[in-house]
Amino acid sequence: MRSNSGLPNSGTLAETTTVRIRLPARRERLGLVRAVAEAVSMDAEYTAEDIADIRLALNEVASALIVTAVPGSDLDCAFTYDRDRLTVAVTASALTEPEPDVVRRDIGWRIVQTLTTDATATREPFDITVSGYPTRVEFDWRRDAPRTNAPLPVDTASNGSAGRGPRVVHRGGGPVTERRARTRPATGDARTPSVRWDHAVACATSSPDRHGSSMTATRGEFRHPAMFYDGDEDYVAGLLPFLLDGIEQGEPVAVAAPNGRLDLLRAALGSSARDVRMIDMEQAGRNPGRIIATVLRAFADEYPDSPVRIVGEPVWAGRTAMEYPACVQHEALINRAFDGRDLTIVCPYDLSTLDATAIADATATHPQLWEGKHRRESPDYDPDAIVRRYNEPIPEPAEAAELTVAESADVATARRWAVRNAGELAGDADRIADLELIVTELATNGLCHGVGPVRIRMWTDDTHLICAVHDHGEWTDPLAGRRPPEPGVPGGRGLLLVHQLCDLVRTHTGPEGTTQYAMMAL
């Protein structure tokens, strides 16, 4: 929808124009939101650099609001511009009332402050007509005005010295140094930014899980067996009783497996298949780092007060050597991620196609083993050892493009540098937008939680564009980015977003620093 009203000013943009879109509040619609922002910004005659900033800031706000949106609700975006400024207003209905005093340290909000000339956020009381808390974020760009130079949050965990010491990611309640944002308006008059940040927007940008439940909301026994099978018949015979028993008990049941395995189970279940959530793991779990948050947690958290049964098959013969370390680390980390939940996740392993290493690793990542009708405890269970064993660097070619990011002001330069080195992805506007976000989030995370400066290298192999982001902090939370952030904990959305946008993410950490490898398939 577009409307115009005349202004006394003269020039190319002598009118006020408003463009408004309303669309379902779902993550897969972010590409459309970015595309509209780019089209509007071009129509408003902004520069290419400004357009990249506008698109990124809108993506930060829209993705934050989508995370906590009432299921089935809409996201409303309005763009208003004239010759002097562009104003964007994004509105959604938040599902839960947020924890107070959270987001002033949130990385996503600092990014918005850095990219825009003004930003405000408001939340209204619970509205029964929308089943949530109406939440509105508004921000603008004044043409040719300097942007806010908002310093990013600094980790002060070691000896009280900003930016030094071990990396601590997703730390709740720890000390964080805050510095006030400084804005220079176009007139040159000094003023402070107009930022009003209340409880509802704190909820949106700190991204609590969708149902407001923590990992220990339902106390119970977590079960994580590996089921060894030999061929299709053995596969069905091993899983069918588990699935049918769950249906009979009235428990939520899901299967996340390669599509061919789903077909086998659908046929075996017959009419009962309608009671099982079927998820294609080749798509949903293409990047193993996203499985906990968007497959396992996404399903289990729909039923926080009920026992839940899931079949999850992240390892199959088609996995590549590059993917496998992330797969086996994922299997090890499940045990930590779901401790205390009344949940069973059965992971099938095909003896006829997988090698001895994969089978041995399965006995180390699963506390129980199923072999036919036999059930036993694994004598080799040691998931922490697996996480350490597959903490492997990826060889980096000497000719890779390289850039150093020393402070938050360099992040915009890093985005433009990444686009110039995108190679085969350069012709795909949506993937270029994703690449800009990936580089922004990883560089920002390195500046906030590691020890700078941050080094970024990019190159391609036969299958991927690889972006390696290195800082000098040591990673202490291997689940960071693999789970939704907890209510009341600042940040956590950036690494989660990276896992959603990438086809594969791997991490190597040690005393000399941490490198995150973000890969996009060619």
Side-chain angles (χ1 to χ4, degrees):
M1 180 179 70
R2 178 189 288 249
S3 62
N4 299 292
S5 60
L7 292 175
N9 299 329
S10 61
T12 307
L13 295 168
E15 296 180 328
T16 296
T17 301
T18 298
V19 177
R20 182 177 177 182
I21 62 167
R22 188 175 184 137
L23 66 172
R26 298 203 302 267
R27 190 182 65 82
E28 56 267 29
R29 298 302 181 97
L30 284 174
L32 179 57
V33 172
R34 293 197 300 260
V36 173
E38 182 169 357
V40 169
S41 302
M42 292 177 64
D43 193 45
E45 301 178 7
Y46 278 88
T47 67
E49 292 184 8
D50 278 342
I51 291 172
D53 288 347
I54 291 166
R55 187 175 57 207
L56 177 60
L58 177 59
N59 193 93
E60 287 288 340
V61 171
S63 60
L65 294 179
I66 286 171
V67 166
T68 54
V70 173
S73 66
D74 291 333
L75 188 76
D76 194 298
C77 302
F79 306 83
T80 301
Y81 60 93
D82 57 25
R83 62 181 301 172
D84 296 320
R85 75 171 66 187
L86 166 68
T87 299
V88 181
V90 188
T91 306
S93 295
L95 183 67
T96 58
E97 186 169 15
E99 298 291 331
D101 194 32
V102 170
V103 179
R104 288 175 297 151
R105 299 174 294 184
D106 181 78
I107 293 173
W109 183 244
R110 296 297 183 97
I111 290 174
V112 173
Q113 286 183 302
T114 300
L115 297 177
T116 66
T117 52
D118 199 14
T120 62
T122 57
R123 189 264 296 165
E124 298 176 12
F126 184 85
D127 186 341
I128 193 172
T129 63
V130 296
S131 301
Y133 300 84
T135 305
R136 176 185 175 91
V137 180
E138 184 173 309
F139 40 92
D140 67 26
W141 286 259
R142 298 179 188 177
R143 196 176 303 275
D144 300 324
R147 300 291 176 251
T148 301
N149 184 20
L152 293 165
V154 179
D155 194 329
T156 60
S158 175
N159 302 323
S161 178
R164 299 187 180 276
R167 163 188 300 241
V168 181
V169 183
H170 297 251
R171 184 187 62 245
V176 177
T177 298
E178 293 192 58
R179 303 178 202 162
R180 196 172 206 46
R182 292 179 285 111
T183 303
R184 291 180 294 148
T187 61
D189 298 329
R191 66 176 180 87
T192 56
S194 172
V195 179
R196 187 153 49 92
W197 198 246
D198 68 1
H199 293 182
V201 180
C203 175
T205 56
S206 63
S207 306
D209 71 82
R210 195 165 192 81
H211 296 271
S213 60
S214 69
M215 291 305 301
T216 57
T218 301
R219 301 300 300 179
E221 182 184 357
F222 174 59
R223 297 158 293 274
H224 181 213
M227 187 197 82
F228 298 123
Y229 68 96
D230 190 357
D232 294 352
E233 184 176 344
D234 211 16
Y235 184 80
V236 172
L239 292 178
L240 193 59
F242 172 74
L243 299 175
L244 291 174
D245 184 62
I247 295 170
E248 184 178 344
Q249 298 295 327
E251 298 174 2
V253 180
V255 177
N259 199 44
R261 295 300 182 200
L262 296 180
D263 291 340
L264 286 174
L265 292 176
R266 285 193 189 98
L269 286 164
S271 61
S272 295
R274 64 175 178 268
D275 298 316
V276 178
R277 180 87 54 87
M278 299 287 186
I279 303 166
D280 183 359
M281 188 68 97
E282 291 173 288
Q283 295 301 317
R286 182 173 63 253
N287 170 22
R290 73 170 74 130
I291 297 174
I292 289 175
T294 62
V295 178
L296 306 179
R297 275 285 303 266
F299 182 72
D301 286 358
E302 291 182 31
Y303 310 96
D305 300 318
S306 171
V308 175
R309 300 187 184 210
I310 301 176
V311 173
E313 190 166 5
V315 180
W316 58 85
R319 287 292 200 184
T320 66
M322 186 73 84
E323 294 171 336
Y324 181 75
C327 292
V328 70
Q329 284 189 324
H330 155 76
E331 285 280 56
L333 292 170
I334 286 178
N335 302 286
R336 185 182 303 183
F338 290 96
D339 184 37
R341 292 293 296 265
D342 193 353
L343 171 68
T344 302
I345 301 176
V346 179
C347 299
Y349 282 79
D350 190 350
L351 296 172
S352 65
T353 60
L354 294 174
D355 62 21
T357 297
I359 301 305
D361 287 342
T363 67
T365 55
H366 297 78
Q368 298 91 32
L369 305 178
W370 292 5
E371 300 172 86
K373 295 182 179 180
H374 300 288
R375 307 286 188 267
R376 63 187 177 93
E377 300 298 311
S378 173
D380 302 317
Y381 179 62
D382 192 352
D384 291 341
I386 287 290
V387 172
R388 293 191 298 270
R389 183 188 310 165
Y390 288 95
N391 177 34
E392 301 173 341
I394 294 175
E396 300 183 19
E399 65 273 15
E402 185 170 320
L403 179 73
T404 298
V405 176
E407 57 185 33
S408 58
D410 297 332
V411 174
T413 301
R415 291 202 309 276
R416 295 189 290 271
W417 171 86
V419 171
R420 290 197 301 270
N421 290 280
E424 294 180 33
L425 298 184
D428 189 328
D430 284 341
R431 302 194 77 198
I432 286 295
D434 289 345
L435 177 62
E436 289 181 300
L437 284 170
I438 290 164
V439 170
T440 296
E441 297 293 352
L442 290 180
T444 302
N445 187 73
L447 291 173
C448 292
H449 298 294
V451 179
V454 174
R455 185 197 70 203
I456 307 176
R457 305 191 80 218
M458 286 181 61
W459 69 94
T460 58
D461 61 13
D462 293 336
T463 57
H464 292 95
L465 171 70
I466 303 174
C467 178
V469 180
H470 176 84
D471 64 65
H472 298 281
E474 186 169 358
W475 194 274
T476 60
D477 182 5
L479 276 170
R482 293 175 178 260
R483 62 187 171 204
E486 299 295 337
V489 178
R493 195 164 33 83
L495 291 178
L496 182 66
L497 179 63
V498 169
H499 276 283
Q500 305 312 306
L501 296 177
C502 290
D503 295 293
L504 180 63
V505 176
R506 284 180 49 184
T507 303
H508 175 251
T509 190
E512 296 182 356
T514 296
T515 304
Q516 296 187 80
Y517 304 94
M519 307 181 209
M520 303 180 75
L522 298 176

